[in-house]
Amino acid sequence: MKYATDFSFVQKHLADPPYWSSERILSWSDVYNRTAESFISHSYWTETGSLNVFRVVGTDHPDYIGKTWLEFLQKGKRMSNNLRLLEKNPDYYLEPYKRNPRMVFTTLDGLNYYVSSDGIHRTCLARFFLFERDMSQLHDLTISHYKVDELFLETYLRLFELVRSLRLHVDLSPEKTALSREDTAGWKIDSFETCLVWRDDNGVSRFSKDDAVEKRLELEIKALDAGDKASRIRNYFLRQEEPS
């Protein structure tokens, strides 16, 4: 059995590692989770996208998060097989190619990309292989770009904290609704609208982003008043305990 470190391609990069090879592979879940998903305002998907492989910073695969690219080049579970395929067909990384399985990527900002579901080994090889050739682009990729309403998300998270800290009998949750889709062959853009569902003893209310911001301000003031009252009570009892 031939291991990844037996290939001359790997040995060459171990002897002279690229400057970026010590960067660690980041976790997609650190920047995107189920809560963030509820606050997507737009989602763009294409199956014929291109990207700069040196802007791929992470993955959703738990086995490889935290490894450096150089460590992964040596120890990736399917790296040996992909190295053999690279030797047989280097054009796979140089030209637009019908990839099967697809190489799938996600991004929130169009700057930092994460490997999703398939392609982490090939992405790693592409970084080292294209670096040798002063190239950067891979083509015919499946890419999803999610636009998250960060202000609305942050407002919801703070409201959730305030509801708990003030011990309100409230159930608060986001609700996302699909608004529209634009598409032709090979791409689509979906638009969504999010509201916050507020359930209390008086019934159910739905808050837009502006409504949620106003509600947050109301509860922030209430929390300050509660904190000030608690501070006055605490100081009163401390004074009672002081020796006369």
Side-chain angles (χ1 to χ4, degrees), residues 9-221:
F9 179 84
V10 176
Q11 293 169 358
K12 174 174 51 179
H13 289 293
L14 287 174
D16 185 19
Y19 68 91
W20 47 261
S21 63
S22 61
E23 295 173 359
R24 297 197 176 275
I25 299 171
L26 305 180
S27 170
W28 171 242
S29 64
D30 284 347
V31 297
Y32 183 83
N33 53 40
R34 288 184 178 180
T35 303
E37 183 178 359
S38 297
F39 293 88
I40 294 173
S41 60
H42 297 86
S43 172
Y44 171 70
W45 173 89
T46 178
E47 63 179 0
T48 56
S50 300
L51 63 74
N52 174 355
V53 293
F54 301 104
R55 294 309 313 159
V56 179
V57 299
T59 181
D60 64 1
H61 198 304
D63 290 352
Y64 308 126
I65 293 165
K67 287 183 169 59
T68 68
W69 291 105
L70 191 62
E71 289 170 344
F72 184 50
L73 180 66
Q74 302 169 69
K75 300 174 183 178
K77 292 179 181 177
R78 296 193 296 276
M79 197 62 75
S80 294
N81 184 53
N82 281 279
L83 282 161
R84 282 192 289 271
L85 294 173
L86 171 62
E87 288 182 340
K88 291 179 181 178
N89 184 18
D91 285 345
Y92 182 90
Y93 295 95
L94 298 174
E95 300 175 1
Y97 214 92
K98 191 69 175 179
R99 306 179 195 282
N100 188 22
R102 300 291 297 169
M103 296 179 71
V104 185
F105 300 87
T106 52
T107 182
L108 295 179
D109 56 10
L111 179 63
N112 298 304
Y113 290 82
Y114 295 77
V115 181
S116 174
S117 73
D118 215 332
I120 183 66
H121 291 78
R122 287 172 287 168
T123 298
C124 180
L125 288 180
R127 286 174 67 107
F128 286 94
F129 182 66
L130 296 180
F131 181 75
E132 294 177 345
R133 289 157 176 75
D134 293 325
M135 299 172 67
S136 63
Q137 299 292 311
L138 273 182
H139 306 285
D140 273 357
L141 309 172
T142 300
I143 299 174
S144 293
H145 186 165
Y146 303 115
K147 177 64 176 176
V148 175
D149 190 329
E150 297 288 351
L151 174 59
F152 204 176
L153 172 59
E154 191 272 334
T155 299
Y156 163 70
L157 293 174
R158 179 56 182 157
L159 270 174
F160 194 86
E161 290 178 1
L162 288 165
V163 165
R164 287 195 305 175
S165 65
L166 292 168
R167 298 181 179 179
L168 303 179
H169 299 292
V170 171
D171 178 44
L172 182 66
S173 60
E175 181 178 271
K176 186 176 71 175
T177 304
L179 293 179
S180 64
R181 170 173 291 181
E182 181 183 357
D183 62 14
T184 58
W187 70 276
K188 64 179 179 179
I189 297 177
D190 291 310
S191 298
F192 304 92
E193 182 177 66
T194 299
C195 70
L196 297 186
V197 181
W198 177 284
R199 294 181 175 88
D200 60 18
D201 295 338
N202 296 318
V204 179
S205 301
R206 283 176 166 76
F207 297 156
S208 67
K209 179 166 66 175
D210 289 343
D211 295 334
V213 170
E214 287 187 18
K215 192 67 175 180
R216 173 183 174 176
L217 178 59
E218 174 190 325
L219 294 189
E220 294 282 13
I221 294 171

Side-chain angles (χ1 to χ4, degrees), residues 223-243:
L224 286 172
D225 289 343
D228 183 57
K229 182 178 180 180
S231 178
R232 290 198 304 270
I233 293 172
R234 184 167 54 252
N235 290 337
Y236 171 80
F237 282 106
L238 288 174
R239 286 195 299 271
Q240 300 307 306
E241 294 175 1
E242 292 176 358

